[in-house]
Amino acid sequence: MLCPLPSAKLGTYPQLMGRIHVLSESVANKIAAGEVVERPASVVKELLENSLDAGSTRIKIQVEAGGKKLIQITDNGCGMVRDDALLAFERHATSKIQNAEDLLGVATLGFRGEALPSIASVSRLHLETRAPDEDSGTVVEINGGKISKVEEAGLPAGTSITIRDLFFNTPARKKFLRAESTELSHIASLVTHYALAHPEKHFELHSATNAILVAPPVAGSSERVYQVFGKDVLDQLIPIAAVQPLAHVGLPQPPPWRREEDEEQGPVEPGEMRVHGFVSKPEIQKLNRNSIYVFVNGRLIRDRLVQHALIEAYRNILPPTVYPVVLLFLELPSGEVDVNVHPSKTEVRFRQQSVMHDFVRDSVRAALMQARPVPQFMTAINAHPTAGPSLTPGSRSVPGDSAASRTLSAAAESQTFTLQARVPPPITERFHFGVDGIAVDGNAAPSLVRAPQVVSEVIGDDNCAPPLPEESEQPGDLTPSLASLKPLGQIRDSFILAVNHEGLWIVDQHVAHERVLFEKVLKQRAAQKVDSQRLLMPLVLELTPAQQAVFAEISEELNQNGFEAEPFGTRSVAIKVAPAGVEAPQIEHMLHELLDQFSREEQALNMEKVRARIAASIACHAAIKVNMPLQQNKLEWLLAELAKTDCPMSCPHGRPVVLRYSMKDIQKAFKRI
Ligand code: ADP
Ligand code: MG
């Protein structure tokens, strides 16, 4: 189901766009002020929004050097007549609103009239434009805000804007730009998502070397997701579609002298809220919110209210520390959203906040429930201590045979379980392990508290046992200590219990092996001989446009780490060789994780860091897992290997590898000292 997006109302655009005029000072002063041109992606965003507002059905974007050198956007929209082409570069010049009242119901993506002058003042801009019913078009050139050329020319209908050398005259801002690949991946992600919002339009994004996105019009959102991300991503998503009429509640009443007049015309319909899009199945777990995309009336926004509604919808379905993939398109009457909140127009304010919140939460929850009811054990494991049914007034979650009521009962059950499960404290909390330089992560300490005082009061000091020799407690070099460890066995097939003369040790088998492998991979990489394995079948990986950009940059480093990959079609790569020890499904997971991590990197990619991350990722995916029984000789081998590492105290991600319950602690606990 596709809801009408503002730009889908093509027929209304010529009137809506009208002619450009400069807003009066009083209107201009009501517009959220601030700079919008921060980076190449923000330029692309503004220009892309202009093309959509112009009713274009075909938009082509070309960038070079991550947009730093060149951004060119060509559309087939309504174009501009000569006077407008010049006026467009005046501050607060817009064709989209007229007066302050219009700000209350903005139906276009732009309305501030500031993007073009801002962009033109920090770049070399070349504009070509022709309105379809004009015989000739106009060329305008502006260098750092100064018009250097205006001429008439024979041009195709529509608009083409070329931005060269962004920030050439503002070196301080230029310095803050990130690596080309980072800027390109931001642009790719932005264009991809606008393409997802408008499946009926043609989008293209090209870099100097690659066609990053070529998306001809398709029938609907599912087809677009398939076209842009491929089958695997589509399979992981659950489609969602819901409509809810808006209540009259809270709508401002017209003044008494106008009510009669209005009654003659019939009551104003409050309209309805619609949502469509996709949410991911519970198995998909992202480490941050970067895969959550929300559009309100065709505008890509970041909004806490919607984010919260989504988290609520996934409560007890996803653990609280991970996030889903979400692509949500919300449509509501323009009077219901205030878009004049932030200069970059990425924030909005909903007029009926709680109605909106509950609508999103319940629609997403219902879609999740329909796709797969929550298994009991998941609710139990993932139950959040504060999870509980929260019924806000106006919520649609009423008892009955609806998906929403099933949601409530699942939440209620999980809460009961949580309360019972939380009573006995974990046994580890009774011990205090001296972390003297061993458990390097500060996080390790808080969960390990002192022995309860009650113990000494009951037992007292009877002095019947012979005194033990004094122990030296030198934190110093760990290697000799680790080398003398004798494994006793495993706790729950996950932690190795070992002893030596210094005391009792607990070793996390997964992170210990991770540390061993991490150092091994780094050494092999330095010697250019990383162990690798040829896969029986090449593994074909579908990459998002943003991932492709990063892949191109780190592919050499991946090769050095035992990968061999070849392009496969336009947006896939075929992995033929991979590092030894990592199983095929893990390879895919690992590469996606790495590419996602790097594409979010704000700094220029530092190859040293890339190398370490790749090594850490190989180590993590090839390491012995928890819940894995190990033979005595394997336990001995692992401890011996750990003793040989340069940094046996922490895993590559900074978690502690070993905990020690020192002789001194043991003696103290038994009241011997
Ligand atoms: P805003 O979008 O907020 O109105 P801009 O500075 O982005 O402000 O653009 C100024 C005006 O230039 C727009 O209102 C529109 O009339 C015109 N314009 C900009 N880009 C295009 C385009 N691609 N096609 C047609 N008209 C455009
Ligand atoms: Mg604009």
Side-chain angles (χ1 to χ4, degrees):
M1 180 212 64
L2 239 185
C3 305
L5 300 169
S7 47
K9 298 184 232 157
L10 284 184
T12 65
Y13 267 77
Q15 297 89 340
L16 214 129
M17 292 284 288
R19 295 291 301 268
I20 301 182
H21 50 265
V22 177
L23 295 173
S24 70
E25 205 180 314
S26 72
V27 180
N29 286 342
K30 290 197 172 68
I31 288 177
E35 185 49 66
V36 291
V37 188
E38 282 172 3
R39 61 192 315 172
S42 41
V43 173
V44 174
K45 175 174 180 290
E46 292 296 335
L47 299 180
L48 188 56
E49 291 189 346
N50 279 347
S51 293
L52 290 168
D53 280 343
S56 313
T57 53
R58 212 186 145 85
I59 300 172
K60 185 174 168 190
I61 300 163
Q62 171 84 39
V63 295
E64 280 174 31
K68 296 185 200 181
K69 200 165 143 205
L70 175 126
I71 297 170
Q72 183 175 60
I73 173 160
T74 306
D75 68 42
N76 64 348
C78 66
M80 287 176 267
V81 297
R82 183 191 162 101
D83 287 355
D84 280 358
L86 288 169
L87 208 49
F89 294 97
E90 295 285 324
R91 285 228 172 257
H92 299 300
T94 180
S95 55
K96 302 172 192 175
I97 61 166
Q98 306 265 358
N99 48 41
E101 227 171 75
D102 292 345
L103 275 174
L104 303 175
V106 176
T108 45
L109 296 168
F111 60 89
R112 306 172 73 243
E114 287 194 302
L116 288 184
S118 304
I119 296 167
S121 68
V122 291
S123 66
R124 302 183 213 281
L125 184 148
H126 177 96
L127 165 80
E128 296 184 356
T129 187
R130 178 169 76 82
D133 47 4
E134 297 282 314
D135 295 333
S136 61
T138 310
V139 176
V140 177
E141 276 187 10
I142 304 182
N143 276 327
K146 292 194 186 64
I147 297 187
S148 56
K149 186 200 256 183
V150 183
E151 59 182 39
E152 204 178 298
L155 294 169
T159 302
S160 174
I161 299 188
T162 311
I163 310 297
R164 282 180 218 277
D165 305 327
L166 185 63
F167 300 144
F168 79 95
N169 54 352
T170 51
R173 278 158 90 181
K174 193 168 180 180
K175 220 172 67 192
F176 278 98
L177 291 181
R178 307 300 181 197
E180 289 176 13
S181 61
T182 311
E183 297 298 346
L184 181 61
S185 91
H186 279 279
I187 295 171
S189 165
L190 183 95
V191 179
T192 306
H193 288 89
Y194 269 103
L196 288 162
H198 300 275
E200 75 287 0
K201 295 178 191 270
H202 180 113
F203 286 84
E204 279 184 40
L205 172 64
H206 299 263
S207 71
T209 51
N210 281 357
I212 297 175
L213 177 80
V214 178
V218 281
S221 297
S222 303
E223 289 82 356
R224 188 64 117 197
V225 170
Y226 177 83
Q227 187 184 42
V228 174
F229 293 130
K231 183 176 177 305
D232 289 354
V233 171
L234 188 61
D235 286 347
Q236 292 165 353
L237 297 176
I238 302 166
I240 141 168
V243 186
Q244 185 180 306
L246 274 163
H248 273 280
V249 277
L251 277 179
Q253 288 284 324
W257 62 90
R258 280 196 39 205
R259 278 185 207 160
E260 250 173 53
E261 193 184 311
D262 284 353
E263 266 160 28
E264 277 165 26
Q265 294 168 3
V268 183
E269 278 303 316
E272 55 190 22
M273 304 181 280
R274 288 168 172 268
V275 61
H276 79 281
F278 302 89
V279 293
S280 57
K281 295 180 178 167
E283 327 49 299
I284 309 301
Q285 305 191 350
K286 296 280 174 183
L287 295 174
N288 51 41
R289 297 163 199 257
N290 293 353
S291 306
I292 299 181
Y293 286 85
V294 177
F295 288 77
V296 173
N297 291 348
R299 182 190 306 282
L300 183 58
I301 58 144
R302 277 189 294 263
D303 183 73
R304 284 185 168 202
L305 187 84
V306 179
Q307 295 265 1
H308 185 265
L310 289 168
I311 307 279
E312 286 270 297
Y314 275 92
R315 189 166 291 239
N316 298 329
I317 291 177
L318 277 186
T321 47
V322 299
Y323 300 89
V325 174
V326 175
L327 192 62
L328 214 61
F329 303 103
L330 286 158
E331 313 290 337
L332 58 171
S334 52
E336 290 286 326
V337 258
D338 181 2
V339 291
N340 184 23
V341 177
H342 191 269
S344 65
K345 301 167 289 173
T346 47
E347 286 171 27
V348 293
R349 201 175 293 124
F350 296 103
R351 207 175 62 79
Q352 304 192 50
Q353 298 207 352
S354 72
V355 174
M356 190 61 217
H357 173 274
D358 295 353
F359 172 59
V360 171
R361 180 196 61 196
D362 296 346
S363 317
V364 171
R365 188 84 192 186
L368 287 169
M369 288 296 148
Q370 221 170 6
R372 180 202 272 194
V374 185
Q376 281 307 302
F377 76 94
M378 275 291 273
T379 16
I381 292 170
N382 298 326
H384 190 276
T386 56
S390 70
L391 264 178
T392 22
S395 156
R396 295 191 309 141
S397 310
V398 285
D401 188 25
S402 69
S405 70
R406 267 181 279 141
T407 313
L408 282 180
S409 55
E413 271 164 34
S414 76
Q415 196 181 37
T416 324
F417 185 93
T418 312
L419 290 176
Q420 288 164 355
R422 279 171 58 82
V423 178
I427 195 74
T428 49
E429 292 191 1
R430 301 194 181 185
F431 292 117
H432 171 256
F433 288 85
V435 286
D436 32 0
I438 298 174
V440 291
D441 189 333
N443 293 338
S447 64
L448 308 166
V449 295
R450 286 241 162 245
Q453 287 309 304
V454 67
V455 176
S456 57
E457 282 157 27
V458 176
I459 300 172
D461 189 352
D462 61 8
N463 265 338
C464 67
L468 284 159
E470 270 286 296
E471 279 297 325
S472 64
E473 293 259 335
Q474 302 293 329
D477 185 9
L478 256 183
T479 310
S481 312
L482 289 175
S484 64
L485 279 181
K486 284 195 182 41
L488 302 177
Q490 287 168 288
I491 309 173
R492 297 225 180 154
D493 294 338
S494 302
F495 302 98
I496 304 169
L497 206 56
V499 288
N500 65 6
H501 69 289
E502 288 175 31
L504 175 69
W505 300 64
I506 300 182
V507 181
D508 182 323
Q509 67 192 38
H510 170 70
V511 287
H513 196 206
E514 209 178 345
R515 168 48 72 182
V516 170
L517 290 176
F518 175 65
E519 292 194 10
K520 182 172 151 201
V521 173
L522 281 183
K523 280 192 191 123
Q524 289 182 340
R525 162 72 185 83
Q528 310 234 314
K529 10 174 205 225
V530 174
D531 290 341
S532 57
Q533 51 176 337
R534 186 159 287 277
L535 303 177
L536 283 176
M537 292 264 291
L539 184 77
V540 177
L541 227 69
E542 281 176 302
L543 303 181
T544 63
Q547 289 175 332
Q548 279 172 43
V550 176
F551 190 87
E553 200 178 346
I554 66 164
S555 66
E556 179 50 33
E557 190 52 43
L558 287 171
N559 287 349
Q560 297 288 339
N561 276 283
F563 284 96
E564 228 179 272
E566 276 176 10
F568 187 82
T570 47
R571 55 154 188 268
S572 305
V573 286
I575 311 288
K576 298 186 162 167
V577 177
V582 187
E583 285 163 22
Q586 300 273 342
I587 295 170
E588 184 172 352
H589 181 238
M590 158 182 174
L591 280 171
H592 276 303
E593 208 174 68
L594 279 170
L595 294 173
D596 281 347
Q597 262 178 17
F598 292 133
S599 68
R600 284 194 304 271
E601 197 68 32
E602 289 291 323
Q603 311 286 330
L605 283 187
N606 161 337
M607 277 304 143
E608 203 60 42
K609 208 160 127 192
V610 169
R611 197 164 298 160
R613 287 248 194 102
I614 294 176
S617 182
I618 296 174
C620 178
H621 289 93
I624 296 167
K625 305 280 175 292
V626 291
N627 288 319
M628 190 181 270
L630 301 174
Q631 301 280 335
Q632 181 71 15
N633 58 359
K634 190 84 193 220
L635 297 177
E636 283 165 12
W637 170 85
L638 182 54
L639 295 181
E641 289 298 306
L642 181 66
K644 287 187 216 155
T645 59
D646 295 333
C647 181
M649 305 85 106
S650 67
C651 85
H653 305 106
R655 281 188 288 163
V657 176
V658 292
L659 297 174
R660 178 176 62 173
Y661 192 27
S662 75
M663 231 18 237
K664 200 167 175 182
D665 284 328
I666 296 173
Q667 284 169 301
K668 265 194 201 150
F670 283 112
K671 296 291 153 200
R672 291 188 166 276
I673 52 173

